[in-house]
């Protein structure tokens, strides 16, 4: 290592930094990764456009741009320092908290050319925001799933144990245990069905079989299935859909959407309450609304109810048998039809779920 080779390296780097060569410039511009080359004085020699979006350079700077002008993150500075002083590489996680938080995996490597001592260090910033988000979603999914499975399974085990211990000598007790077993097995069955459904819909393997459907009649068919449940809880239901409205939809999937919304409208209602289904044309679309006079949804819950496994406090404490997947399925199915779903709700007064479909007129 001689001063001559060091200065040769420095000259080479300076030349590279200012090289207008189109290939070099094209490479820098095409990279999605942020790239910074910093010299021993921590002057920034190279900053590609992706790195400029991470670290916007100060608007006016009379002196050469330094690393400290771009970031004050101690780990990034330490990484470059280590690469320059000790010649070692470093990997680190870097969080950008300006605006929407972004996360990066950073690799900092010393750059050596003619001299043994690194004259610069190269930092590559790979964005991992989406990856970390997906990882979190996946972890939450499995945590929620095992929680939802554990509850009915624990109940089933408890019933079986009771049957083994005392049940068979006491027919009345045995009957109650069997009823409980049946309820919990049904719950498990519904959960597995919803998960399979959601997985299929989300993976995009579900193909819609679109048809021109008279909405009033389809709603009537769904009500035939759901009315016993409403009667049991003394809730009236009215099909207020005009007879002349036709939609372009998959009959099986539209039934599923309505069933889920009506099921909730009954489940979260109060005895003597009311549920209504209305529809109106709006340009190329039909807006279908399911309204109820039920318990309503607290404003804080409203943005979250379409998430997988999200259940309001009332659903959890009331033992409604729901898994929190119903609205996630509904949302996906509506989107698959090219529509949208929104909710308006007032705690204590009721809720209104409105979704759009294409008109078949
Ligand atoms: P589940 O009904 O299995 O709990 P959903 O995904 O269908 O799951 O609904 C998520 C949550 O949204 C429910 O737990 C409940 O808190 C709330 N919710 C949905 N529909 C209504 C409604 N019509 N009235 C009040 N709350 C509702």
């Amino acid at each position: 290592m001689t001063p001559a080779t060091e200065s040769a390296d420095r000259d080479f780097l300076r030349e590279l930094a200012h090289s207008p060569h189109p290939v070099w410039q094209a490479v820098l511009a095409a990279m999605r990764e942020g790239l910074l080359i910093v010299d021993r004085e921590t002057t920034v020699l190279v900053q590609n456009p992706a790195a400029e979006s991470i670290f916007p350079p100060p608007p006016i700077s009379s002196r050469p741009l330094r690393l400290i002008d771009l970031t004050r993150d101690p780990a990034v500075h330490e990484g470059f320092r280590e690469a320059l002083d000790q010649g070692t590489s470093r990997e680190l996680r870097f969080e950008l908290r300006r605006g929407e938080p972004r996360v990066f995996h950073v690799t900092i490597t010393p750059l050596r050319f003619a001299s043994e001592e690194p004259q610069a260090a190269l930092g590559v910033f790979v964005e991992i925001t989406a990856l970390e988000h997906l990882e979190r979603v996946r972890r939450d999914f499995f945590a929620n799933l095992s929680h939802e499975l554990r509850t009915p399974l624990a109940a089933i085990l408890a019933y079986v144990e009771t049957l083994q211990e005392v049940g068979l000598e006491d027919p009345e007790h045995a009957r109650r245990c069997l009823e409980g077993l049946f309820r919990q097995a049904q719950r498990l069955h519904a959960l597995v069905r919803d998960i399979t459904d959601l997985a299929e819909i989300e993976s995009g393997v579900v193909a819609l079989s679109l048809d021109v459907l008279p909405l009033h009649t389809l709603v009537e068919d769904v009500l035939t299935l759901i009315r016993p449940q409403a009667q049991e809880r003394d809730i009236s239901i009215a099909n207020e859909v005009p007879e002349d409205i036709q939609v372009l939809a998959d009959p099986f999937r539209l039934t599923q959407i309505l069933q889920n919304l009506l099921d909730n409208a009954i489940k979260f209602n109060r005895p003597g309450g009311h549920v209504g289904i209305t529809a109106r044309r709006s340009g190329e679309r039909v807006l279908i609304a399911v309204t109820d006079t039920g318990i309503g949804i607290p404003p804080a819950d409203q943005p979250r109810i379409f998430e997988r496994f999200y259940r309001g406090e009332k659903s959890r404490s009331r033992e409604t048998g729901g898994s929190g997947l119903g609205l996630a399925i509904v949302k996906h199915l509506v989107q698959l039809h090219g529509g949208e779903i929104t909710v308006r709700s007032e705690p204590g007064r009721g809720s209104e779920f409105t979704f759009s479909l294409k008109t078949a007129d």
Side-chain angles (χ1 to χ4, degrees):
M1 173 184 55
T2 66
T5 51
E6 281 180 14
S7 77
D9 272 3
R10 276 202 295 272
D11 289 347
F12 170 67
L13 280 164
R14 223 156 278 142
E15 218 171 280
L16 181 76
H18 298 110
S19 165
H21 195 291
V23 173
W24 169 238
Q25 290 303 328
V27 168
L28 289 183
M31 282 179 73
R32 283 210 279 162
E33 296 80 7
L35 185 140
L36 286 182
I37 300 181
V38 169
D39 73 6
R40 296 193 67 78
E41 281 76 45
T42 72
T43 301
V44 178
L45 298 177
V46 175
Q47 183 184 18
N48 74 340
E52 279 176 18
S53 88
I54 308 169
F55 306 115
I60 306 161
S61 170
S62 53
R63 59 202 171 96
L65 193 63
R66 308 289 293 270
L67 188 61
I68 195 76
D69 298 323
L70 299 185
T71 176
R72 289 180 183 276
D73 189 276
V76 172
H77 279 269
E78 214 173 282
F80 275 105
R81 206 60 277 161
E82 260 180 38
L84 290 162
D85 293 347
Q86 291 155 35
T88 49
S89 296
R90 162 89 87 101
E91 296 191 19
L92 55 103
R93 184 176 173 282
F94 166 67
E95 266 189 61
L96 192 64
R97 289 195 197 87
R98 182 171 27 85
E100 276 281 297
R102 295 169 71 186
V103 191
F104 297 86
H105 177 262
V106 188
T107 312
I108 302 174
T109 332
L111 289 179
R112 287 190 195 86
F113 303 103
S115 67
E116 209 170 281
E117 189 131 298
Q119 295 305 314
L122 165 76
V124 178
F125 293 72
V126 179
E127 180 149 18
I128 52 167
T129 316
L131 206 70
E132 284 204 352
H133 173 73
L134 281 178
E135 181 53 31
R136 207 165 35 243
V137 169
R138 198 188 64 85
R139 258 202 319 268
D140 286 355
F141 178 80
F142 283 110
N144 283 322
L145 180 61
S146 53
H147 174 80
E148 293 295 335
L149 287 171
R150 213 175 302 134
T151 318
L153 273 179
I156 286 173
L157 283 174
Y159 283 126
V160 172
E161 263 170 35
T162 319
L163 268 178
Q164 279 173 332
E165 279 165 24
V166 290
L168 294 178
E169 282 97 64
D170 178 350
E172 177 53 24
H173 199 86
R175 195 182 55 77
R176 277 208 304 279
C177 283
L178 282 174
E179 273 171 14
L181 273 174
F182 183 61
R183 247 193 346 267
Q184 297 302 333
Q186 268 184 323
R187 192 171 159 186
L188 271 182
H189 185 246
L191 181 63
V192 171
R193 185 201 56 211
D194 283 355
I195 290 167
T196 316
D197 235 22
L198 194 61
E200 274 177 15
I201 298 166
E202 283 189 345
S203 68
V205 297
V206 168
L208 294 182
S209 165
L210 294 180
D211 224 332
V212 175
L213 306 171
L215 191 59
H216 184 92
T217 317
L218 187 127
V219 168
E220 213 42 55
D221 291 346
V222 178
L223 290 186
T224 314
L225 302 172
I226 220 120
R227 269 212 175 91
Q229 198 179 319
Q231 273 158 5
E232 205 175 290
R233 309 193 51 182
D234 190 21
I235 290 162
S236 58
I237 311 189
N239 177 0
E240 290 158 30
V241 175
E243 303 239 358
D244 62 339
I245 289 191
Q246 303 203 98
V247 290
L248 195 62
D250 180 317
F252 172 66
R253 296 302 179 180
L254 180 53
T255 302
Q256 205 178 355
I257 293 171
L258 287 166
Q259 247 178 333
N260 266 313
L261 292 177
L262 288 166
D263 185 60
N264 281 343
I266 295 167
K267 211 162 59 177
F268 299 107
N269 221 312
R270 51 186 168 72
H274 182 74
V275 174
I277 306 117
T278 59
R280 64 181 172 87
R281 290 192 188 82
S282 168
E284 301 277 280
R285 327 223 119 224
V286 174
L287 297 178
I288 304 160
V290 175
T291 50
D292 66 64
T293 55
I295 58 172
I297 305 164
D301 279 356
Q302 288 177 24
R304 303 204 56 193
I305 53 173
F306 295 100
E307 290 173 19
R308 301 188 292 195
F309 292 116
Y310 191 80
R311 286 202 280 155
E313 198 257 317
K314 290 270 167 28
S315 171
R316 272 175 269 131
S317 59
R318 263 186 177 191
E319 194 45 59
T320 56
S323 60
L325 291 173
L327 285 180
I329 293 175
V330 165
K331 184 180 166 194
H332 278 288
L333 288 176
V334 170
Q335 286 174 344
L336 212 58
H337 280 85
E340 276 171 34
I341 181 158
T342 54
V343 62
R344 281 195 320 152
S345 184
E346 214 179 305
R349 298 193 67 111
S351 310
E352 178 178 70
F353 286 83
T354 307
F355 63 100
S356 56
L357 289 179
K358 289 195 186 94
T359 164
D361 298 342

